[in-house]
Amino acid sequence: MAPSLKDLQLTKVAGAGGRIFDSHDSGDLEDVRLLDSYDDGDSFNKIEAGIRRVQVSVSGMTCAACSNSVEGALNSVNGVLRASVALLQNKADVVFDPMLVKDEDIKNAIEDAGFEAEILPEPSTFGTNPHVTLLGQFSIGGMTCAACVNSVEGILRNLPGVKKAVVALATSLGEVEYDPLVISKDEIVNAIEDAGFEASLVQSSEQDKIVLGVAGIYNEMDGQLLEGILSHFKGVRQFRFDKTSREVEVLFDPEIVSSRSLVDGIEGQSNGKFKLHVTSPYARMTSKDVEEASNMFWLFASSLFLSIPVFLIRVVCPHIPPVYSFLLWRCGPFQMEDWLKWALVSLVQFVVGKRFYIAAARALRNGSTNMDVLVALGTSASYLYSICALLYGAVTGFWSPTYFETSAMLITFVLFGKYLECLAKGKTSDAIKKLVELAPATAVLLVKDKVGRCVGEREIDALLIQPGDTLKVLPGAKVPADGVVVWGSSYVNEGMVTGESVPVSKEVNSSVIGGTINLHGALHIQATKVGGDAVLSQIISLVETAQMSKAPIQKFADFVASIFVPTVVAMSLLTLLVWYISGALGAYPEQWLPENGNHFVFALMFSISVVVIACPCALGLATPTAVMVATGVGANNGVLIKGGDALERAQKIKYVIFDKTGTLTQGKATVTTAKVFAGMDRGEFLRLVASAEASSEHPLAKAIVEYARHFHFFDESSETKDAEYNIKESTSGWLFDVSEFYALPGRGVNCFINGKRVLVGNRKLITENGMAIPIDVESFIVDLEESANTGILVAYDNTLIGVLGVADPLKREAAVVVEGLGKMGVGTAMVTGDNWRTARAVAKEVGIRDVRAEVMPAGKADVVQSFQKNGSIVAMVGDGINDSPALAAADVGMAIGAGTDIAIEAADYVLMRNDLEDVITAIDISRKTFSRIRLNYVFAMGYNVVAIPIAAGVFYPSLGIKLPPWAAGACMALSSVSVVCSSLLLRRYKKPRLTTVLEITVE
């Protein structure tokens, strides 16, 4: 008897680790190891095959010492390759070997260090990684004997992309291991059916996860209905419904069911009772930040509510006779005033302030110290002393003053500071929130019939868009996904993504970016990239990664944080001993002592002030807050920064090396002249050259083909921006047949037409093939090169027959930017593969003196290294295509004009616009950011250097300055807030005007 579908179990595929669960598996979802089947959303930090990267939410960190503690715990786990902890985001980024360590081990390591941990879902909610081999199970009908099995197996094994295939006659099932990049499940099914059998996909090893908010659940019966629908839904592996948040987490097989089909199916089977929406992971993270700030506010409010009566009892009530007489009423061994203060402060100390004790114990247990240790020490000393004073008075009758209000006010001020810090830190991540908000919540899907005709439209959740969907974008609406225009024309504002302020014209075949705004006409677009592959998602991922990274300057703060608390505690004990011993020896007058006080109490107050005024948090926040704001500001200006280390290096740039073509020039080559030196007709000459260049992808080749086509057809319409898409279709009828074509990098092309060799390229190509260049031809080429044109030589049948002059116009801002960099103290150079004369002509026009010409793409890296020899920081600005070696070799690689291609790995900075002014913006942002970081450090260090001596009473004998513990606590709370607010001033950053950089006065 054949087993039922729910009894089927897929075997494990190498590289797709994890377990497969059916929808009836009752195991907790946290135990599920998801297959590594979707991208980590970060195209900018590639990791080796077989290595995994996860992000973990870490709760309970309060300062740099905590983040160092978590980082140390993670790095000590066998199998963890590297770990980075970001205090501000409360996240850890961990790269590990899944063969040695599991997600749960990482979570346990953080929890063992005394913090709460949760493995975060991937930023890309959907979307699979096609590089993983899949294992599909297919139902095969019509097999009757072993020969049928052999036939099907043979067919499957011969399919491209199929690694392995096994067919079982008894169960009528086949297991196929295949590469989804090469072959799809539908093609496998079609191959089986073409062989005369019936086939359908049962399940695959692919897994994906979606979190859905569910509206319409009001009672237990509704919950059971939802669970019943999911339990019998084909393709659903496992689910978990959270009754509190009304969210259901579903693990499903995307090869069987898509996310949209899943949502539509649940709503359909409930007869419209349930309405589902996709919960964005970023929205969940934002709500968590809001929840943290809200919790901190209620803690502060509770502490303030309990502390105000304590303050009134001490300061105001003695001036109100009826109230004061009630407070002096003795109830047992103590006065009513003491009972009330003890009760109120105990609530503040141990209920509201419980978090400080928990965090301090956690830190000490892990062998580290942090700000919570200082707060717990200071408030406990004050609280315990007050209790001891009461008990001592009850026994001896000598009543020393109590300091209950010090403990309560101290905790109140610290919580107030923490609340302000939460609000301020939330502002530093506004850039990511704004980017997330760019994506529209819904999209209008055009519903088509089987023949592709539009039969209607429906509104869907934007997170449910799938590649291939046709979407309608109305004027004023946001483009819901990356795609291509298939109908209509309009202007689209892409400024919020690329930083380009001028609206961009969009027509059929134009690409559009999700999150941009359609200004005028209606558009129909076909979605091409969704989820983690979309430009907006990649930008968010890049900014997140940059904010997670640590600038090298942060190491200083980490070192200080590791020794700060022990040093402060030692100074506090020293303060206590010095003041107490000095008092016992009569070194200061008795009048300095508080009423009914003694030398120990007097010394203790100074000691407590030292403990609570010291602030390690300000040091720990100085760098990450500034880096977070800077990366966000950069993203808003179209400058994507890939990390704090790149930001730090960029502010020290000594030289900027520019590539010529496409960087200093517009990258739109045009033929300026064509001269024939043989007896050939001009039209035939151009036809010959165009035939040779038609198969080349080089920009100069496209310019030559376009010029020849104009000459033959006088097609003025081809001057439109979409001409390049139809060159080959328009020209294929009039070109010669070409054989044995091959391109020679740095030289040109070589091919055969009518059995005769054709060479099109530079001097080197001609001379290497044994041909001499006549004096008149050389003279003509020299004239071209000295006027910034590139000379293209053409030889036919080993005879030089003509020369083409090709020019690439300079960008209008090139000369001004070069001059501006000079004013900023940055040297400039140009490197190009073009000839020396053309290179010098271009360099002279833009004002660059240092030129390196006739350099192959691989040689550009050597040029960069030659500038680095004396220790100078060198930036390379290129288009990110053939400049990758040089971009990687440079200290700071800047890829300019990237547009939607922001995943250029070799670059540290991605300049999304094709504008050289952004090079100045990138350097200016880094300089202003590190000026702010230095200012933050000066303030944080200066605060502690000045505040601790004041709190210790160093100036009390001479100036009479004495800081009570509660005031010291207020200073400490506000110091870290001040540093964060200082970093937030970077949000007011404005791009430098070239007139300002060049010191030009505009009248």
Side-chain angles (χ1 to χ4, degrees):
M1 177 179 166
S4 67
L5 288 184
K6 73 174 185 177
D7 296 321
L8 294 174
Q9 179 67 43
L10 289 178
T11 55
K12 183 178 176 181
V13 181
R19 291 154 47 208
I20 307 301
F21 295 77
D22 75 18
S23 59
H24 305 282
D25 192 339
S26 60
D28 186 53
L29 195 59
E30 287 185 359
D31 295 328
V32 177
R33 262 299 306 280
L34 295 183
L35 291 174
D36 299 339
S37 57
Y38 45 89
D39 201 322
D40 66 356
D42 179 13
S43 304
F44 314 102
N45 281 349
K46 293 290 183 186
I47 52 179
E48 299 172 26
I51 301 301
R52 280 201 64 210
R53 174 174 176 249
V54 297
Q55 288 192 342
V56 190
S57 172
V58 184
S59 304
M61 295 190 297
T62 56
C63 64
C66 297
S67 61
N68 290 344
S69 177
V70 174
E71 208 166 281
L74 287 169
N75 283 319
S76 65
V77 175
N78 182 34
V80 170
L81 304 180
R82 60 180 182 270
S84 173
V85 179
L87 173 64
L88 289 179
Q89 295 94 329
N90 290 316
K91 283 199 295 190
D93 195 80
V94 189
V95 177
F96 62 97
D97 184 347
M99 299 297 289
L100 299 175
V101 64
K102 306 299 180 192
D103 291 11
E104 201 65 26
D105 299 330
I106 292 169
K107 186 168 180 262
N108 291 339
I110 297 172
E111 289 175 345
D112 289 344
F115 301 88
E116 295 176 16
E118 178 188 352
I119 304 293
L120 291 172
E122 304 293 341
S124 171
T125 314
F126 322 113
T128 61
N129 184 353
H131 297 287
V132 177
T133 304
L134 298 184
L135 189 66
Q137 219 164 36
F138 296 83
S139 171
I140 303 171
M143 295 189 298
T144 56
C145 63
C148 297
V149 171
N150 293 337
S151 174
V152 175
E153 280 186 351
I155 290 164
L156 290 173
R157 287 170 182 167
N158 289 327
L159 290 174
V162 170
K163 310 293 184 185
K164 190 191 301 181
V166 179
V167 177
L169 178 63
T171 57
S172 295
L173 289 172
E175 275 194 358
V176 183
E177 184 183 336
Y178 64 98
D179 183 348
L181 259 186
V182 181
I183 190 168
S184 69
K185 63 182 187 300
D186 294 328
E187 288 172 321
I188 294 173
V189 168
N190 291 338
I192 298 171
E193 289 177 343
D194 288 345
F197 301 92
E198 297 174 3
S200 64
L201 179 67
V202 177
Q203 63 176 342
S204 79
S205 59
E206 189 87 353
Q207 295 189 94
D208 212 341
K209 184 168 71 172
I210 185 172
V211 180
L212 302 168
V214 187
I217 295 183
Y218 304 106
N219 51 47
E220 195 69 30
M221 293 288 289
D222 292 336
Q224 290 175 4
L225 173 61
L226 176 64
E227 290 175 359
I229 292 170
L230 286 168
S231 296
H232 297 92
F233 207 107
K234 186 179 179 183
V236 171
R237 294 263 172 78
Q238 192 180 17
F239 62 87
R240 183 179 64 188
F241 177 61
D242 188 329
K243 295 177 182 176
T244 308
S245 64
R246 293 285 195 275
E247 288 183 350
V248 61
E249 201 170 87
V250 184
L251 199 66
F252 65 97
D253 182 348
E255 293 284 285
I256 301 291
V257 62
S258 68
S259 53
R260 190 161 75 224
S261 302
L262 179 64
V263 171
D264 292 345
I266 295 171
E267 290 181 349
Q269 290 185 41
S270 68
N271 295 320
K273 181 176 179 60
F274 301 140
K275 291 294 178 187
L276 281 72
H277 66 275
V278 183
T279 306
S280 164
Y282 295 108
R284 294 201 297 275
M285 286 160 61
T286 302
S287 65
K288 202 168 185 178
D289 293 340
V290 172
E291 186 182 344
E292 183 188 359
S294 177
N295 289 341
M296 197 59 68
F297 173 76
W298 284 111
L299 283 172
F300 160 66
S302 303
S303 182
L304 183 65
F305 178 75
L306 294 168
S307 298
I308 287 175
V310 177
F311 178 77
L312 294 175
I313 290 170
R314 176 66 182 261
V315 178
V316 179
C317 292
H319 302 289
I320 306 174
V323 176
Y324 191 53
S325 60
F326 169 74
L327 294 176
L328 294 177
W329 175 50
R330 186 168 295 279
C331 181
F334 310 124
Q335 294 176 345
M336 185 57 68
E337 173 188 12
D338 298 324
W339 284 114
L340 287 173
K341 286 199 288 190
W342 192 352
L344 290 168
V345 173
S346 294
L347 290 173
V348 175
Q349 186 77 29
F350 300 111
V351 178
V352 178
K354 178 178 70 173
R355 68 184 301 277
F356 296 113
Y357 284 101
I358 293 171
R362 187 165 55 206
L364 293 171
R365 188 170 69 244
N366 200 45
S368 63
T369 50
N370 58 16
M371 188 208 73
D372 297 300
V373 173
L374 296 179
V375 175
L377 271 176
T379 57
S380 298
S382 175
Y383 179 82
L384 292 173
Y385 166 76
S386 299
I387 292 175
C388 291
L390 282 179
L391 296 175
Y392 183 77
V395 173
T396 64
F398 179 76
W399 298 95
S400 298
T402 59
Y403 294 91
F404 281 119
E405 67 280 354
T406 295
S407 168
M409 295 303 289
L410 186 56
I411 288 174
T412 301
F413 278 120
V414 171
L415 288 172
F416 178 59
K418 281 289 174 190
Y419 170 61
L420 291 180
E421 195 179 307
C422 275
L423 293 180
K425 285 196 294 187
K427 296 286 185 187
T428 63
S429 59
D430 273 356
I432 286 183
K433 291 173 188 170
K434 286 178 182 176
L435 286 169
V436 172
E437 288 167 2
L438 288 179
T442 60
V444 177
L445 174 71
L446 296 178
V447 183
K448 296 185 175 181
D449 59 17
K450 292 181 179 179
V451 295
R453 289 178 302 190
C454 182
V455 294
E457 56 185 55
R458 54 176 286 216
E459 191 173 60
I460 62 168
D461 195 311
L463 291 172
L464 296 177
I465 296 171
Q466 297 167 359
D469 284 346
T470 303
L471 307 165
K472 182 178 180 180
V473 188
L474 296 172
K478 289 181 178 179
V479 176
D482 293 3
V484 176
V485 176
V486 294
W487 177 87
S489 63
S490 181
Y491 280 86
V492 174
N493 180 5
E494 297 182 344
M496 63 290 299
V497 176
T498 65
E500 183 62 66
S501 57
V502 180
V504 182
S505 172
K506 299 294 178 183
E507 297 175 349
V508 174
N509 290 331
S510 298
S511 60
V512 290
I513 305 171
T516 55
I517 299 174
N518 180 26
L519 297 179
H520 302 300
L523 295 174
H524 290 180
I525 68 165
Q526 186 173 53
T528 54
K529 293 181 180 178
V530 299
D533 294 329
V535 169
L536 195 57
S537 294
Q538 289 190 32
I539 292 174
I540 292 169
S541 178
L542 189 150
V543 174
E544 272 193 320
T545 303
Q547 293 182 348
M548 284 285 291
S549 69
K550 284 187 179 180
I553 198 172
Q554 178 71 22
K555 292 176 183 175
F556 168 72
D558 291 344
F559 169 72
V560 173
S562 65
I563 61 170
F564 189 87
V565 174
T567 303
V568 168
V569 171
M571 292 173 70
S572 172
L573 291 173
L574 181 65
T575 302
L576 177 67
L577 291 173
V578 169
W579 278 107
Y580 180 67
I581 294 171
S582 299
L585 296 175
Y588 55 82
E590 296 290 320
Q591 290 85 351
W592 287 7
L593 299 180
E595 187 181 349
N596 295 331
N598 53 42
H599 296 295
F600 177 76
V601 174
F602 186 64
L604 182 65
M605 290 301 106
F606 282 120
S607 178
I608 292 173
S609 292
V610 170
V611 167
V612 297
I613 203 168
C615 184
C617 293
L619 275 171
L621 293 170
T623 298
T625 51
V627 170
M628 277 189 76
V629 177
T631 50
V633 165
N636 290 337
N637 285 283
V639 177
L640 301 182
I641 306 163
K642 291 193 178 179
D645 52 347
L647 197 65
E648 182 165 347
R649 289 195 302 272
Q651 50 108 18
K652 301 175 186 174
I653 288 173
K654 192 72 176 172
Y655 295 102
V656 174
I657 302 173
F658 291 96
D659 177 45
K660 181 178 77 72
T661 306
T663 302
L664 289 172
T665 65
Q666 294 176 15
K668 297 174 183 175
T670 54
V671 176
T672 57
T673 183
K675 187 165 185 177
V676 183
F677 291 96
M680 184 181 289
D681 176 69
R682 181 183 174 88
E684 284 301 296
F685 168 74
L686 289 175
R687 185 181 177 194
L688 186 78
V689 179
S691 301
E693 293 282 26
S695 300
S696 174
E697 292 298 318
H698 197 281
L700 296 185
K702 292 182 179 179
I704 291 169
V705 174
E706 182 68 5
Y707 180 78
R709 187 167 72 87
H710 278 295
F711 186 86
H712 275 267
F713 297 108
F714 301 98
D715 184 3
E716 296 299 326
S717 66
S718 64
E719 291 181 6
T720 65
K721 62 182 290 183
D722 293 320
E724 61 185 83
Y725 294 109
N726 49 48
I727 286 173
K728 288 186 180 176
E729 297 157 276
S730 320
T731 59
S732 57
W734 61 281
L735 293 178
F736 294 117
D737 291 331
V738 175
S739 61
E740 299 182 45
F741 172 90
Y742 54 94
L744 301 164
R747 290 171 179 80
V749 299
N750 184 343
C751 66
F752 283 84
I753 295 176
N754 298 328
K756 296 177 181 178
R757 186 166 64 163
V758 178
L759 298 173
V760 183
N762 56 21
R763 286 186 185 85
K764 193 178 291 185
L765 178 66
I766 301 300
T767 54
E768 282 179 356
N769 284 276
M771 283 176 275
I773 301 174
I775 295 173
D776 59 330
V777 176
E778 178 65 29
S779 176
F780 180 76
I781 296 170
V782 169
D783 290 340
L784 283 175
E785 291 172 346
E786 287 178 348
S787 59
N789 279 246
T790 300
I792 306 293
L793 290 81
V794 183
Y796 179 60
D797 195 19
N798 294 323
T799 303
L800 192 63
I801 62 170
V803 174
L804 292 161
V806 182
D808 188 0
L810 281 171
K811 290 178 180 173
R812 57 176 179 77
E813 75 278 6
V816 187
V817 167
V818 169
E819 188 182 349
L821 288 169
K823 294 279 187 181
M824 294 170 71
V826 178
T828 53
M830 186 183 83
V831 60
T832 178
D834 213 335
N835 65 81
W836 276 101
R837 286 194 186 90
T838 304
R840 286 196 182 106
V842 170
K844 184 179 179 182
E845 210 170 326
V846 297
I848 293 176
R849 295 180 181 177
D850 197 336
V851 183
R852 312 293 170 92
E854 297 179 11
V855 180
M856 297 294 184
K860 291 179 182 179
D862 298 329
V863 173
V864 170
Q865 288 162 5
S866 69
F867 279 89
Q868 294 171 325
K869 281 180 181 176
N870 61 354
S872 298
I873 301 296
V874 178
M876 174 70 196
V877 183
D879 57 16
I881 302 165
N882 62 345
D883 299 319
S884 293
L887 289 172
D891 298 290
V892 180
M894 295 186 184
I896 191 169
T900 59
D901 184 20
I902 62 168
I904 300 169
E905 289 195 49
D908 301 296
Y909 279 67
V910 178
L911 313 180
M912 296 190 68
R913 301 187 307 156
N914 199 9
D915 193 331
L916 287 169
E917 289 182 35
D918 287 345
V919 175
I920 289 179
T921 302
I923 296 173
D924 190 59
I925 285 176
S926 67
R927 288 184 176 182
K928 284 193 167 59
T929 300
F930 273 81
S931 294
R932 182 62 56 180
I933 288 173
R934 291 187 192 99
L935 187 66
N936 287 349
Y937 275 131
V938 167
F939 175 80
M941 293 295 292
Y943 163 80
N944 285 295
V945 168
V946 173
I948 291 175
I950 292 174
V954 170
F955 302 106
Y956 184 64
S958 58
L959 302 175
I961 299 174
K962 182 182 178 185
L963 207 61
W966 65 266
C971 291
M972 185 269 282
L974 293 174
S975 66
S976 56
V977 176
S978 301
V979 167
V980 178
C981 290
S982 169
S983 294
L984 284 174
L985 290 175
L986 285 170
R987 293 171 70 198
R988 300 169 63 185
Y989 174 83
K990 299 291 183 187
K991 292 171 66 172
R993 293 183 178 180
L994 285 173
T995 51
T996 306
V997 174
L998 298 175
E999 300 170 359
I1000 297 171
T1001 305
V1002 181
E1003 301 245 338

